[in-house]
């Protein structure tokens, strides 16, 4: 079985084979730059499926479209791993503005923020300070804020920051990844604190010591964690099941019927993926939210989306040989 990196390399090779005429014409020095640019263009063709655009205006428009379909919006300004203070300050300001725009445009929705885009790579205190600014704005506008979870090295501090924020900003939630072996313990602790949790599978690579490597084990742990959420729903106001896996979605529906928690949880799905499933869930009167990213930093996010699903790899491969 190919690793994600090998699959991307195979795609790069496919571009080489399909476009080798360019190398003959322009020479080997220019081909490397051409190949990289072409791959980025091909990925962007796919990215338009799950990225609303480059500006908050694009995201707001997508959010309005979600609302028309009976779906709430979760807006995310793309970016991560920032160590530039100016960029971090601008990102913090953008999220505060985004909250105001959601309110003034009458959009049913909230925001979701990555810790490394508001300073976690610089320091814990920088990140907490910026999150407090955003959370204060969210509280003043009666809006919810989700905190995204990132790679393993940031999980401990992310959960710590979240629990610190939760003391003063109740309308705040955090994501948890089923591919991490530590997540069961983390979930127990979070539930004890009355946390709002979004359960996801996880989109970051991690070694075998810290993460399950097979999809079967990741799915099995997702089921286990999901059952914990439903069984302990009295300890939290809301929780979210964030997956496109129809088997897991059906399992969640069964658990909601068993534990009577249909009003206490929501399904969260990515923009542009499984729209028919979203429609079906809306028709069954489940609460649905759509994760809507925007911004110029679309490439790292899109690479993870491509790696998550074999179908996305195939779509990218097909676009190599199509005009």
């Amino acid at each position: 079985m190919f690793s994600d990196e090998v699959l991307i390399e195979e795609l790069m090779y496919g571009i080489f084979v399909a476009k080798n005429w360019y190398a003959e014409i322009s020479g080997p020095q220019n081909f490397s730059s051409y190949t990289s640019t072409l791959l980025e263009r091909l990925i962007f063709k796919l990215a338009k499926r799950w990225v609303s655009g480059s500006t908050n205006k694009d995201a707001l428009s997508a959010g309005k479209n979600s609302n028309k379909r009976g779906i709430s919006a979760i807006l995310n300004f793309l970016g991560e791993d920032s160590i530039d203070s100016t960029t971090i300050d601008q990102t913090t300001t953008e999220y505060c503005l985004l909250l105001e725009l959601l309110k003034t445009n009458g959009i049913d929705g909230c925001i979701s923020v990555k810790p490394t885009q508001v300073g976690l790579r610089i320091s814990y205190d920088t990140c907490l300070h910026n999150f407090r600014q955003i959370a204060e704005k969210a509280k003043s506008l009666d809006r919810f804020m989700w905190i995204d979870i990132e790679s393993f090295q940031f999980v401990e501090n992310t959960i710590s920051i979240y629990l610190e924020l939760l003391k003063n900003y109740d309308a705040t939630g955090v994501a948890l990844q089923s591919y991490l072996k530590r997540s069961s313990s983390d979930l127990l602790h979070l539930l004890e604190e009355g946390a709002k949790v979004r359960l996801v599978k996880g989109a970051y690579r991690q070694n075998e010591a810290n993460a399950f490597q097979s999809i079967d084990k990741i799915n099995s742990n997702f089921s286990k964690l999901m059952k914990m959420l439903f069984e302990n729903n009295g300890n939290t106001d809301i929780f979210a099941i964030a997956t496109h896996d129809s088997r897991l979605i059906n399992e969640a529906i069964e658990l909601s019927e068993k534990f009577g928690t249909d009003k206490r949880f929501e399904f969260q799905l990515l923009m542009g993926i499984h729209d028919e499933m979203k429609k079906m869930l809306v028709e069954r009167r489940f609460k649905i939210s759509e994760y809507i990213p925007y911004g110029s930093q679309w490439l790292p996010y899109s690479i993870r989306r491509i790696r998550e699903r074999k179908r996305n790899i195939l779509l990218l491969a097909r676009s190599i040989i199509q005009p």
Side-chain angles (χ1 to χ4, degrees):
M1 182 176 179
F2 288 127
S3 69
D4 296 334
E5 286 78 7
V6 171
L7 283 168
I8 296 298
E9 288 300 318
E10 288 293 307
L11 293 174
M12 293 289 285
Y13 179 72
I15 294 175
F16 178 83
V17 172
K19 308 295 183 181
N20 57 22
W21 57 266
Y22 183 87
E24 295 175 3
I25 295 172
S26 62
Q29 274 189 320
N30 293 328
F31 181 72
S32 177
S33 174
Y34 171 80
T35 302
S36 177
T37 301
L38 180 59
L39 180 60
E40 187 170 322
R41 287 176 180 173
L42 292 171
I43 293 174
F44 184 70
K45 287 174 66 177
L46 278 183
K48 289 189 292 185
R49 297 169 181 263
W50 50 67
V51 176
S52 60
S54 59
T55 69
N56 55 40
K57 183 178 180 180
D58 297 322
L60 293 166
S61 178
K64 290 178 181 177
N65 179 265
S66 296
N67 286 179
K68 289 178 182 177
R69 294 179 287 128
I71 299 171
S72 182
I74 303 173
L75 304 191
N76 170 251
F77 177 51
L78 288 168
E80 56 191 280
D81 293 335
S82 182
I83 56 173
D84 179 74
S85 297
T86 300
T87 300
I88 290 168
D89 289 344
Q90 289 173 344
T91 299
T92 302
T93 300
E94 176 72 10
Y95 274 115
C96 291
L97 173 61
L98 193 58
L99 287 162
E100 292 180 354
L101 291 172
L102 281 168
K103 186 78 170 182
T104 57
N105 282 273
I107 295 173
D108 174 20
C110 61
I111 61 170
S112 195
V113 187
K114 286 181 173 59
T116 65
Q117 67 178 154
V118 291
L120 189 53
R121 272 203 176 274
I122 292 179
S123 73
Y124 179 99
D125 289 340
T126 298
C127 185
L128 179 58
H129 171 75
N130 289 326
F131 261 126
R132 279 187 171 137
Q133 289 188 61
I134 302 169
E136 189 65 37
K137 174 63 73 171
K139 185 176 182 179
S140 71
L141 296 169
D142 194 26
R143 293 280 163 162
F144 198 91
M145 177 180 72
W146 285 102
I147 297 178
D148 283 340
I149 202 78
E150 299 174 272
S151 57
F152 181 81
Q153 63 180 307
F154 301 115
V155 170
E156 186 73 31
N157 280 339
T158 296
I159 291 175
S160 178
I161 286 170
Y162 168 68
L163 290 175
E164 188 64 31
L165 289 170
L166 191 61
K167 295 175 183 177
N168 297 304
Y169 308 103
D170 187 62
T172 310
V174 68
L176 205 63
Q177 301 165 108
S178 72
Y179 88 125
L180 292 182
K181 295 178 178 179
R182 62 171 288 166
S183 291
S184 180
S185 176
D186 287 335
L187 181 55
L188 283 172
H189 180 48
L190 286 165
L191 287 172
E192 288 175 353
E193 300 296 327
K196 288 81 172 168
V197 175
R198 170 205 288 158
L199 181 59
V200 303
K201 288 187 180 181
Y204 295 85
R205 294 187 62 77
Q206 184 55 47
N207 61 45
E208 191 173 357
N210 298 316
F212 299 110
Q213 302 298 305
S214 75
I215 189 62
D216 287 342
K217 289 184 177 179
I218 294 170
N219 286 344
S220 177
N221 199 42
F222 193 103
S223 294
K224 174 186 173 182
L225 298 173
M226 183 163 60
K227 186 177 181 182
M228 289 170 61
L229 283 167
F230 279 97
E231 287 177 336
N232 293 276
N233 70 86
N235 293 337
T236 182
D237 294 333
I238 189 172
F239 60 93
I241 305 302
T243 180
H244 303 93
D245 188 321
S246 58
R247 184 187 65 81
L248 291 172
I249 287 175
N250 287 331
E251 189 177 325
I253 292 172
E254 291 174 3
L255 287 168
S256 73
E257 293 170 349
K258 178 179 179 180
F259 292 99
T261 56
D262 57 307
K263 303 299 184 185
R264 305 180 71 90
F265 87 104
E266 64 180 43
F267 288 109
Q268 295 183 358
L269 298 97
L270 299 173
M271 171 189 170
I273 298 178
H274 282 191
D275 288 339
E276 285 303 312
M277 181 181 292
K278 294 170 191 170
K279 181 180 178 181
M280 178 273 291
L281 291 170
V282 169
E283 289 173 350
R284 294 188 63 174
R285 299 188 181 279
F286 287 102
K287 180 172 173 52
I288 313 298
S289 290
E290 195 164 48
Y291 190 92
I292 301 172
Y294 73 97
S296 62
Q297 302 301 311
W298 57 269
L299 187 57
Y301 174 82
S302 297
I303 289 292
R304 285 199 299 277
R305 297 286 78 82
I306 290 169
R307 287 173 171 174
E308 278 181 327
R309 305 177 71 215
K310 289 182 180 178
R311 180 173 178 271
N312 290 333
I313 293 285
L314 294 173
L315 286 170
L316 181 56
R318 188 180 300 125
S319 68
I320 290 172
I321 58 174
Q322 291 177 340

